[in-house]
Amino acid sequence: MAWRTMWRALRDGPATEPAPAADPLLAESLAARLHAAAQRRLGRGLAIRQVDSGSCNGCELEIHMLGNIVYDLERLGLRFVASPRHADVLLVTGPVTRNMHDALMRSWAATPDPKFVVAVGDCAIDGGVFKGSSAIIGGIDAAVPVDAFVRGCPPTPAAILEVLCTLVEANTPPPERVRRM
Amino acid sequence: MNARTLLLTATAEPCAPVPRRQLTGSQWAAFVAALAQDSSLELRAMWADPLNVYAVFLAPEDGTVMFASVPVELGLYQALSPARPSAALYERMIHDLWGHSAADGLDVRPFLDHGNWTATPPLATRPLPNLTAPEPKEFLPVEGEGLHRIPVGPVHAGIIEPGHFRFTAQGEIIVRLEARLGYLHKGTLGLMQGKSPRVAARFAARLSGDSTVGHAIAFARAAEAAAHVLPPPRAEALRCVFAEVERIANHLGDIGAIINDAAFALMQARFVWHREQLLRATDTAFGHRLMMDAVVPGGVSVDLAPGGEERIIQVLDSLAAEWDALLATYDNSASLADRMVSTGALSADLATSFAPGGFIGRASGQAADLRRVPGYGHYRDIDVEMPVLTTGDVDARVRIRMAEVVESTRLLRHILPRLPEGALVERLDALSGEGLGWAEGFRGDIWHWVRVEGGQITAVFMADPSWRQWPLLEVAVEGNIVADFPLCNKSFNCSYSGVDL
């Protein structure tokens, strides 16, 4: 039994795929902004709080998939946390509906500085197909400042992971700091 | 006269494929009174426009669909909720969106309207500016000793849609749960008005992301019925493929998530791995992991790409190869059974009264499945087998979902090699008409209605089955411990966006 399992493991290899490459330009610009504050406070890891501010749930389905064994985001120092108070990153989906505006603002206010906001999906960019509806106030940046956008309806898990990896890259402490730890 | 006969005596307005029975106020009142004594008609959807209130009924015995409407007089209509309690949530939504009040309604509190909109009611002919500040929500009263309230949401701890759950608990036991939704209201119905069905289909595909195919099919069928157009056979067959792939993908994700809430992470890893493979195969076959906008009024917008069929079958084969081992783990783990069995039980009586449809209904003795009765599209040519359980607990819902995965796999293996040749889409001319469309999504029965004038939509509604499932979740958790709520909630997996509109 054990031999068969071992043989299967050797034959098939791990299901987890290599991580996507980071976008160098975005990494550079984000790194510059964060250099002073973020590197001191955050290690090589980011805690993410997801907020659905009006999505159809399509983006949530794909964000969910980041946790599966194919993408396994925790190996990259990324993890989802249950409270904005524990978060470095707000991963926000959907247009901002009038009925979710207050909850989004409160989540944002509860997230300690320095923080990143990543707007996920076409609706999060400018309202997407819902642009012009009187029931929404617009894309995410109509409510809170946004650091990075991920396009797509919904974006693939790989596209979302690419931006998150870029954030980690931008956030990596200088070598001497790593040695001290 | 029984309720059905009363409907048949009313004026028939042109609507395809089912005529709409336009009742007068007094005929409607008699109909509601008759319904209270008559359980043969199940309420399946309810909505309004500025002039009328509409209701769709299904007779489960023979699959007859009955469509009724009643004019609103001085902002009032006779409530349906005293005869069909599931109407209460629809009546609250109708009041918030169109301003029509249900006389004698069981519950008249706001639902979608949180007091934040700029003009209300948004879908009335002339909405008025909203000048009042939002008021605190009023919750249902609970009496008893030692009760405490647990407010949860709208932003939840996990990655799920926003909604507010107000628990009242006695110690660890849930005494009452109330779900307050509407946070995701995007004004979707208003955006669809004035657009052609082809353009508006993008909104139907984004009512509830996990049911994008189900809603797109129901909408397309309503638009096609209004235009008296039939999609080509290849499109009908491809819609079946999309729908069954969507069903399997959602069930795999949900079964994994439910089991993970009982701390069986390994099983979740396997179920979700298969889900990922299926989404990738779908991307190969149809160019999009969730098949958004693949269904359009008149047919489908994508054909099966070369190699797509093989990819899908390959994924189904690999799932089948592991299926028995996964099932054995589920069956043979006492600690898993301890969490699943008898948890969140929904009684057959309540299921009969609310007719929730889908796997929730099938786990509580309700056989209803629109693919079988009344049937539609390509499903009329194939047999769909669905088991029914009666225990109504989390375990039953998981087992029904597992059975649906097996059956949908069988259907895909049957349909894919036999796809008819031919065109993908039929033209919809800019005509006028009214149409009703239905589809069996992974949650259950979806109903769409559309009125088109000169090629433009003048009135529309999209009804997700969650309207009748949310109230049942509230009841099913009563007497359970608070810690089991995630299990119960995930086993239902009602749509938030689907009812927030």
Side-chain angles (χ1 to χ4, degrees), chain B residues 436-449:
Chain B
L436 187 68
W438 56 83
E440 183 78 11
F442 93 98
R443 285 193 179 88
D445 52 321
I446 296 172
W447 303 83
H448 283 218
W449 170 79

PDB file of all heavy atoms in Angstrom, chain B residues 436-449:
ATOM      1  N   LEU B 436     -41.875  34.040 -21.063  1.00  0.00           N
ATOM      2  CA  LEU B 436     -41.481  33.468 -19.780  1.00  0.00           C
ATOM      3  C   LEU B 436     -40.469  32.369 -20.092  1.00  0.00           C
ATOM      4  O   LEU B 436     -40.694  31.573 -21.006  1.00  0.00           O
ATOM      5  CB  LEU B 436     -42.728  32.896 -19.093  1.00  0.00           C
ATOM      6  CG  LEU B 436     -42.606  32.385 -17.665  1.00  0.00           C
ATOM      7  CD1 LEU B 436     -42.342  33.526 -16.702  1.00  0.00           C
ATOM      8  CD2 LEU B 436     -43.906  31.677 -17.256  1.00  0.00           C
ATOM      9  N   GLY B 437     -39.360  32.348 -19.357  1.00  0.00           N
ATOM     10  CA  GLY B 437     -38.355  31.311 -19.596  1.00  0.00           C
ATOM     11  C   GLY B 437     -37.954  30.667 -18.293  1.00  0.00           C
ATOM     12  O   GLY B 437     -37.962  31.327 -17.256  1.00  0.00           O
ATOM     13  N   TRP B 438     -37.639  29.370 -18.335  1.00  0.00           N
ATOM     14  CA  TRP B 438     -37.208  28.716 -17.123  1.00  0.00           C
ATOM     15  C   TRP B 438     -36.029  27.787 -17.400  1.00  0.00           C
ATOM     16  O   TRP B 438     -35.802  27.367 -18.532  1.00  0.00           O
ATOM     17  CB  TRP B 438     -38.345  27.953 -16.446  1.00  0.00           C
ATOM     18  CG  TRP B 438     -39.037  26.933 -17.285  1.00  0.00           C
ATOM     19  CD1 TRP B 438     -38.637  25.651 -17.522  1.00  0.00           C
ATOM     20  CD2 TRP B 438     -40.275  27.103 -17.999  1.00  0.00           C
ATOM     21  NE1 TRP B 438     -39.548  25.019 -18.332  1.00  0.00           N
ATOM     22  CE2 TRP B 438     -40.556  25.873 -18.634  1.00  0.00           C
ATOM     23  CE3 TRP B 438     -41.165  28.168 -18.152  1.00  0.00           C
ATOM     24  CZ2 TRP B 438     -41.697  25.697 -19.418  1.00  0.00           C
ATOM     25  CZ3 TRP B 438     -42.307  27.974 -18.929  1.00  0.00           C
ATOM     26  CH2 TRP B 438     -42.552  26.757 -19.550  1.00  0.00           C
ATOM     27  N   ALA B 439     -35.278  27.513 -16.360  1.00  0.00           N
ATOM     28  CA  ALA B 439     -34.123  26.628 -16.467  1.00  0.00           C
ATOM     29  C   ALA B 439     -33.840  26.061 -15.088  1.00  0.00           C
ATOM     30  O   ALA B 439     -34.144  26.696 -14.075  1.00  0.00           O
ATOM     31  CB  ALA B 439     -32.905  27.394 -16.982  1.00  0.00           C
ATOM     32  N   GLU B 440     -33.264  24.866 -15.063  1.00  0.00           N
ATOM     33  CA  GLU B 440     -32.870  24.256 -13.797  1.00  0.00           C
ATOM     34  C   GLU B 440     -31.395  24.572 -13.574  1.00  0.00           C
ATOM     35  O   GLU B 440     -30.518  23.955 -14.164  1.00  0.00           O
ATOM     36  CB  GLU B 440     -33.124  22.744 -13.823  1.00  0.00           C
ATOM     37  CG  GLU B 440     -32.818  22.020 -12.514  1.00  0.00           C
ATOM     38  CD  GLU B 440     -33.906  22.192 -11.439  1.00  0.00           C
ATOM     39  OE1 GLU B 440     -34.999  22.704 -11.752  1.00  0.00           O
ATOM     40  OE2 GLU B 440     -33.641  21.826 -10.279  1.00  0.00           O
ATOM     41  N   GLY B 441     -31.124  25.575 -12.753  1.00  0.00           N
ATOM     42  CA  GLY B 441     -29.750  25.901 -12.404  1.00  0.00           C
ATOM     43  C   GLY B 441     -29.269  24.942 -11.330  1.00  0.00           C
ATOM     44  O   GLY B 441     -30.020  24.062 -10.895  1.00  0.00           O
ATOM     45  N   PHE B 442     -28.025  25.112 -10.844  1.00  0.00           N
ATOM     46  CA  PHE B 442     -27.534  24.142  -9.852  1.00  0.00           C
ATOM     47  C   PHE B 442     -28.281  24.286  -8.533  1.00  0.00           C
ATOM     48  O   PHE B 442     -28.403  23.325  -7.780  1.00  0.00           O
ATOM     49  CB  PHE B 442     -26.015  24.257  -9.684  1.00  0.00           C
ATOM     50  CG  PHE B 442     -25.555  25.173  -8.584  1.00  0.00           C
ATOM     51  CD1 PHE B 442     -25.190  24.657  -7.344  1.00  0.00           C
ATOM     52  CD2 PHE B 442     -25.499  26.535  -8.781  1.00  0.00           C
ATOM     53  CE1 PHE B 442     -24.768  25.482  -6.326  1.00  0.00           C
ATOM     54  CE2 PHE B 442     -25.092  27.376  -7.770  1.00  0.00           C
ATOM     55  CZ  PHE B 442     -24.729  26.854  -6.531  1.00  0.00           C
ATOM     56  N   ARG B 443     -28.847  25.494  -8.250  1.00  0.00           N
ATOM     57  CA  ARG B 443     -29.623  25.669  -7.016  1.00  0.00           C
ATOM     58  C   ARG B 443     -31.069  25.237  -7.152  1.00  0.00           C
ATOM     59  O   ARG B 443     -31.741  25.068  -6.148  1.00  0.00           O
ATOM     60  CB  ARG B 443     -29.643  27.140  -6.609  1.00  0.00           C
ATOM     61  CG  ARG B 443     -28.374  27.644  -6.026  1.00  0.00           C
ATOM     62  CD  ARG B 443     -28.576  28.992  -5.365  1.00  0.00           C
ATOM     63  NE  ARG B 443     -27.335  29.412  -4.797  1.00  0.00           N
ATOM     64  CZ  ARG B 443     -26.408  30.099  -5.445  1.00  0.00           C
ATOM     65  NH1 ARG B 443     -26.628  30.470  -6.681  1.00  0.00           N
ATOM     66  NH2 ARG B 443     -25.279  30.405  -4.869  1.00  0.00           N
ATOM     67  N   GLY B 444     -31.556  25.154  -8.386  1.00  0.00           N
ATOM     68  CA  GLY B 444     -32.958  24.811  -8.588  1.00  0.00           C
ATOM     69  C   GLY B 444     -33.564  25.638  -9.703  1.00  0.00           C
ATOM     70  O   GLY B 444     -32.857  26.091 -10.612  1.00  0.00           O
ATOM     71  N   ASP B 445     -34.880  25.841  -9.613  1.00  0.00           N
ATOM     72  CA  ASP B 445     -35.632  26.437 -10.716  1.00  0.00           C
ATOM     73  C   ASP B 445     -35.416  27.943 -10.825  1.00  0.00           C
ATOM     74  O   ASP B 445     -35.597  28.685  -9.876  1.00  0.00           O
ATOM     75  CB  ASP B 445     -37.120  26.140 -10.568  1.00  0.00           C
ATOM     76  CG  ASP B 445     -37.636  26.517  -9.183  1.00  0.00           C
ATOM     77  OD1 ASP B 445     -36.904  26.295  -8.197  1.00  0.00           O
ATOM     78  OD2 ASP B 445     -38.749  27.064  -9.080  1.00  0.00           O
ATOM     79  N   ILE B 446     -35.053  28.373 -12.021  1.00  0.00           N
ATOM     80  CA  ILE B 446     -34.830  29.790 -12.320  1.00  0.00           C
ATOM     81  C   ILE B 446     -35.919  30.233 -13.294  1.00  0.00           C
ATOM     82  O   ILE B 446     -36.217  29.519 -14.254  1.00  0.00           O
ATOM     83  CB  ILE B 446     -33.436  29.988 -12.959  1.00  0.00           C
ATOM     84  CG1 ILE B 446     -32.337  29.592 -11.968  1.00  0.00           C
ATOM     85  CG2 ILE B 446     -33.253  31.422 -13.433  1.00  0.00           C
ATOM     86  CD1 ILE B 446     -30.955  29.567 -12.582  1.00  0.00           C
ATOM     87  N   TRP B 447     -36.526  31.394 -13.022  1.00  0.00           N
ATOM     88  CA  TRP B 447     -37.611  31.900 -13.870  1.00  0.00           C
ATOM     89  C   TRP B 447     -37.282  33.315 -14.316  1.00  0.00           C
ATOM     90  O   TRP B 447     -36.977  34.172 -13.490  1.00  0.00           O
ATOM     91  CB  TRP B 447     -38.938  31.908 -13.099  1.00  0.00           C
ATOM     92  CG  TRP B 447     -39.299  30.561 -12.563  1.00  0.00           C
ATOM     93  CD1 TRP B 447     -38.858  29.999 -11.401  1.00  0.00           C
ATOM     94  CD2 TRP B 447     -40.148  29.584 -13.180  1.00  0.00           C
ATOM     95  NE1 TRP B 447     -39.389  28.731 -11.262  1.00  0.00           N
ATOM     96  CE2 TRP B 447     -40.187  28.456 -12.333  1.00  0.00           C
ATOM     97  CE3 TRP B 447     -40.891  29.550 -14.366  1.00  0.00           C
ATOM     98  CZ2 TRP B 447     -40.933  27.320 -12.628  1.00  0.00           C
ATOM     99  CZ3 TRP B 447     -41.638  28.415 -14.661  1.00  0.00           C
ATOM    100  CH2 TRP B 447     -41.649  27.317 -13.796  1.00  0.00           C
ATOM    101  N   HIS B 448     -37.353  33.546 -15.610  1.00  0.00           N
ATOM    102  CA  HIS B 448     -37.149  34.900 -16.134  1.00  0.00           C
ATOM    103  C   HIS B 448     -38.371  35.307 -16.953  1.00  0.00           C
ATOM    104  O   HIS B 448     -38.986  34.473 -17.623  1.00  0.00           O
ATOM    105  CB  HIS B 448     -35.911  34.966 -17.029  1.00  0.00           C
ATOM    106  CG  HIS B 448     -34.629  34.989 -16.260  1.00  0.00           C
ATOM    107  ND1 HIS B 448     -33.556  35.734 -16.625  1.00  0.00           N
ATOM    108  CD2 HIS B 448     -34.247  34.344 -15.134  1.00  0.00           C
ATOM    109  CE1 HIS B 448     -32.563  35.561 -15.763  1.00  0.00           C
ATOM    110  NE2 HIS B 448     -32.966  34.707 -14.853  1.00  0.00           N
ATOM    111  N   TRP B 449     -38.694  36.572 -16.868  1.00  0.00           N
ATOM    112  CA  TRP B 449     -39.820  37.104 -17.636  1.00  0.00           C
ATOM    113  C   TRP B 449     -39.378  38.399 -18.281  1.00  0.00           C
ATOM    114  O   TRP B 449     -38.660  39.188 -17.670  1.00  0.00           O
ATOM    115  CB  TRP B 449     -40.993  37.363 -16.688  1.00  0.00           C
ATOM    116  CG  TRP B 449     -42.134  38.113 -17.280  1.00  0.00           C
ATOM    117  CD1 TRP B 449     -43.107  37.630 -18.090  1.00  0.00           C
ATOM    118  CD2 TRP B 449     -42.436  39.511 -17.083  1.00  0.00           C
ATOM    119  NE1 TRP B 449     -43.994  38.627 -18.410  1.00  0.00           N
ATOM    120  CE2 TRP B 449     -43.601  39.784 -17.808  1.00  0.00           C
ATOM    121  CE3 TRP B 449     -41.831  40.541 -16.373  1.00  0.00           C
ATOM    122  CZ2 TRP B 449     -44.181  41.052 -17.838  1.00  0.00           C
ATOM    123  CZ3 TRP B 449     -42.399  41.811 -16.406  1.00  0.00           C
ATOM    124  CH2 TRP B 449     -43.563  42.052 -17.129  1.00  0.00           C
TER     125      TRP B 449
END
